[in-house]
Each structure stands twice: as structure tokens, then as C-alpha cells.
Amino acid sequence: MSPLLAICGLSVDAAGARGTPSTPILRDISFGMRPGETVGLLGASGSGKTSLALAVLGLLPPALRAHGAIHFDGHEMLSASRGARRTLRGRRVAMVFQEPLSALNPRMRIGAQVAEVALAHGEHNTQRAARTALDMLARAGLTDAEDQARRLPHELSGGERQRVLLAMAMLLAPALLIADEPTSSLDVTVQAQVLALLRAEQRQHGMALLLVSHDLSVIATTCERTLVLHDGRLVEDVPTRQLIVAPEHPQARALVAAVRRGPPPLEHGT
Amino acid sequence: MTTGAWHHLRNDAGARAAAAVLAAAAACAVLAPALAPYDPTIQPDPVALRLLAPSWQHPLGTDPFSRDVFSRMLHGARVSLGVAAGAMLLSVTLGTALGALAAVMGGWVDTAVASLVDVLIAMPRLLVVIALVATFGTLSPWWLVVLIGGSGWLTTARIVRAEFRDHLQREYVVAAVALGASRWRIIRRHLLPAVAPQIAITAALALAAVIPLEAALSFVGFGIQPPLPSWGNIILDGVDYLTSAWWMVVFPVGAVTITVGSALVLADRMRVAVGGEEHEP
């Protein structure tokens, strides 16, 4: 099967002020993803995970310069025109941001925000967009979708907000979904529900999933293959099972050991 | 405006009083033909009826040409507030458009707008308008709207640019871009609603700035030309008689002061309402 996403020799630098050298953020990253594949991207904070996700969407801030190639769905994302990238975003590749409350417009009702995605991609009938949004919200597991759609983001719980973000990202059945720490702000039960929702959507539409996380346990339960990013370099690209059994890179070993050890025990009596 | 700030504003006594004064002034302007007891330009008897003190026949007295000052004040409100409202709308629209363009396009567009603002802000507005009027001869009220409005967009542009840039970095805007929203869509659906309260504040401030500007222009003879009345040229008609016929100056100056004061109070209360909302969780 031809790859859906192929990244070749991607480097991203933060341009320094005049005279100072630029700071590398990503260094010579290469990997590919097949349609429908689930890949975990593991790394400590500051390792460049989010920059990599933004680079795939062609959304790097102007101060960051990217070199190399990102082939996605027959397009070269780094050299594609602004318009071409815009039509791909939301329709072919979508992203779920880390913090659900700040990723939603505080002034716009939930239903309208989901409908926005359809309206941004050529749907002109607002009523039809609103209906599509309601269907998607119900499919994303929001109870009383019709009622909730009229609410503002701050009136929802964290789990409900995450479902709204997923509904927005999956509305147009993208070929690739990039989820940046989609479960880090949720408690464990809701976390499992959100991951189940992602898997159901993958089965139904053959969506590929790039799951960005610093949490190996989330990646281990979801992803066939795991990439480990350390200090802007890709240090592992292995089946998840192999990473857990025999991590090679010291950084990967440290991450695996952290999960095995579990959180430090509480002092007796506290 | 967001519901919280709007609610705050509706329960604010100062804001309500200021809005009531502005509404009353606007009502006088709109209803001037019906309310005015006399034709504002007619000179019934320039000898017997000139410079009469306020009385039941002439509540605000008469001017040196025997015209009724109350009628001229009402029709003057129509002209002065009409020019002010038009100029305010023009400057706020222009400022919002240019500020939004600079923030969203960035690059050379941003640099060009910023330099234009820097150059224009250094110019004394009144003198520039006087110079333009002197160049083109006397101007119709419509041109006055264009000149005053066209020179007043700087503050709005600066505020809208700063607010837009702030919101462009917020995660919800980045998230909307990541789902394929165009720049125009981002402006219309996310940025303008977010910045609307700040734009409303600059609109009130713009109104407070353009009313005295029109009055000043008309007072020095470069604005509204007689016999058409404006608050500024009523003062001009009376300024030679300041010691003997105080009513010619006191009433129009009072009208300018009260409307400008109300616009300033309203702007201030809006700022408090919007600021108070941001401290809520």
C-alpha cells in the first residue's frame, strides 16, 4: 500500500535574531504512515512533538523554518500553496489540540462550532451544516446532543469538550487525524471512552491516527507502532511491543522504565 | 458585546445616564423639523428682534440676525451630530478594516499600515483638515464627513490590530485554522465577535473626538457654512456679543460639552464592563 504520509529529512529551525545562530527544533526526521495505521509519537515535553504535528498541517509559526519534504495524500505540504493546504486541513488531515477548553471559541455555541467546519469546506446551507454537526456530536458520544449543542464551551465538562473537539476533527472523515495529548486532561474512565471513540472511527472510515503523547501507557494500549522523539531527533521507530520489551535508545529506556516503576509511592500516613 | 459585559453595562447607572443623554440628543437631531418652533434660517426682523434674551417666545433667545437660537440649536444638532455620526462610522469602519488587514496579512501589509499610522498620528488633525478645506474651498457637509472620518481611524486601527494579533495566537483560532477555516472566515466568525467590545469603546471615543472637531472647524469658518446652522457656527455668530448676549455662546458650548461628556462616560463604563468580565472565571 502506498504511504498516506511520508516525511523525508524534515528539519525545523527557529530563526535566531540577527547575528545569533538559529535553534534547531526538529532534526532530520523521516517516517511514513500507511492509510488506517495507528502510530504513537512519544516524547517528553519540549522534544518537538507539537512542532512536528504543526509541520504536517503546514501550520508552523512564521518564525520557524522547515526544510525537507512532507508528502501527504499526493501533496507536498511544505511547498503547497496556501489555498491547497487550507482545503486539505479539516477535510483530509485534522488535528485535535491538547487543551479542550482553550481550543474552543468561548463565545460560540457548541453546535455552531462543529457546523463551522462544514461551512469552511464549501457547505453553504447552514441548516444542513447544523444537522450534520448534531449527528456527529451524537456519534461522538455527547449525551443530549441537541440540548448540549446550544451551550457554550464553559458549560460543558472536560470530557464533553474533548468529544466536541473530536466531533469537529472527524466531521469530514479525514484520512489522517493528529491528536495532541487528547486524553492528558481527562480522568481514566473518560480517557478510555475517548480512545474507544477514536478506534471506532478508525474502523468505520479507515482513518489513520497519529497519537502524540508523553504517556506510554496510552500509546501502548492504542498504537501498533511507536516513534520516540528526543531533543528534536527521532530515536526509535519500532512496533510498540518491541519498544516495551527491548527499548534501544537510552531515552526510550527511561520512558519505559518510568511507566514500569509507576508513580512514586506516597509516604505512609499522608 | 458578550452577554456578561452587556448585562453589567445595562445595570450601570452612569452608562444608562450617558446613553439617555446621547439618545435625547439624537432624538433632537432627528425630530428637529417637528420640534423647532421657527424656521432656523428665517430672519423675521433683524432690527426689532435681534439679540433678544431668552423668553417664552424664544426659549434660548435670538441671534444678531433675529433668528431663534433654540430652533437653530435643534437644526444644528441635526447637522453637527449627523456629521459626527457619519465621521465616526467612517473612521471606525476604516480603522477596523485596516487594523484587521494588518494583523491578519502581516508582512509588508502590516509594515505599510503601521508606517501610515505613525506618519498620520504625527500630524495635527485640525490643521490638516483646515489646510485641505483651504485648498479645495468651502466643503459640503458630506466632504466634512469624509475629511474628519478619513483622518480619525488611527486609534481604532491600532487597537484592532493589537487585539487581533492577540486573538490570532489563541489556541481556538489556531484550531479553527487547523480545520481549514479561511482567513476571511476567521476574521468574520472568530476575531470580529471577540473584539467587538473594544471596537464599541473606540467608537464612543471617536464620537467624543469628532463632535468638538466639527464645532471647531465651523467656529473658525472652515466647517459648516451659514445659513446652515451647526453648534460651531452658532458660537461663531455669538462670539462678538459674548458680554451682552451670553445665550448665543453658553447654549451651544453646553450642548457640545454635554454630548462629548456623555460619549466619554459611556466609553469609560464600557471599558469597566468589559474589563470586569475578564476577571470573571
Side-chain angles (χ1 to χ4, degrees), chain B residues 135-168:
Chain B
T135 313
F136 296 109
T138 55
L139 294 174
S140 72
W142 289 109
W143 273 108
L144 218 52
V145 168
V146 171
L147 276 183
I148 298 177
S151 62
W153 52 270
L154 307 173
T155 336
T156 312
R158 290 225 287 205
I159 289 170
V160 168
R161 175 180 173 276
E163 290 285 334
F164 265 43
R165 282 170 66 98
D166 173 31
H167 282 270
L168 273 169

Side-chain angles (χ1 to χ4, degrees), chain B residues 100-143:
Chain B
L101 203 67
V104 173
M105 300 290 285
W108 68 269
V109 179
D110 194 14
T111 317
V113 172
S115 330
L116 191 59
V117 168
D118 286 341
V119 170
L120 289 181
I121 221 153
M123 297 211 266
R125 199 169 168 194
L126 184 63
L127 292 183
V128 169
V129 176
I130 288 177
L132 285 170
V133 177
T135 313
F136 296 109
T138 55
L139 294 174
S140 72
W142 289 109
W143 273 108

Side-chain angles (χ1 to χ4, degrees), chain B residues 77-101:
Chain B
R78 201 178 173 80
V79 175
S80 290
L81 296 180
V83 168
M88 179 267 275
L89 281 178
L90 179 64
S91 74
V92 170
T93 310
L94 217 57
T96 304
L98 286 168
L101 203 67

Side-chain angles (χ1 to χ4, degrees), chain A residues 90-110:
Chain A
R91 188 186 286 287
R92 296 297 293 160
V93 54
M95 178 157 175
V96 177
F97 284 79
Q98 191 168 351
E99 178 45 61
L101 184 55
S102 54
L104 290 167
N105 184 336
R107 275 164 294 271
M108 206 189 279
R109 301 193 184 280
I110 294 304

Side-chain angles (χ1 to χ4, degrees), chain B residues 9 37 52 73 79 90 99 101 112 114 117 126 193 217 221 225 229-230 241 249 274 278-279 281:
Chain B
L9 202 59
L52 296 178
M73 285 285 298
V79 175
L90 179 64
L101 203 67
V117 168
L126 184 63
L217 277 173
Q225 298 302 313
S230 95
Y241 309 91
V249 173
V274 172
E278 288 194 349
H279 295 299

Side-chain angles (χ1 to χ4, degrees), chain B residues 3-4 46 71 86 97 174 195 211 214 219 235 261:
Chain B
T3 42
S71 302
V174 179
V195 178
I211 294 172
E214 180 278 322
F219 176 73
I235 303 173

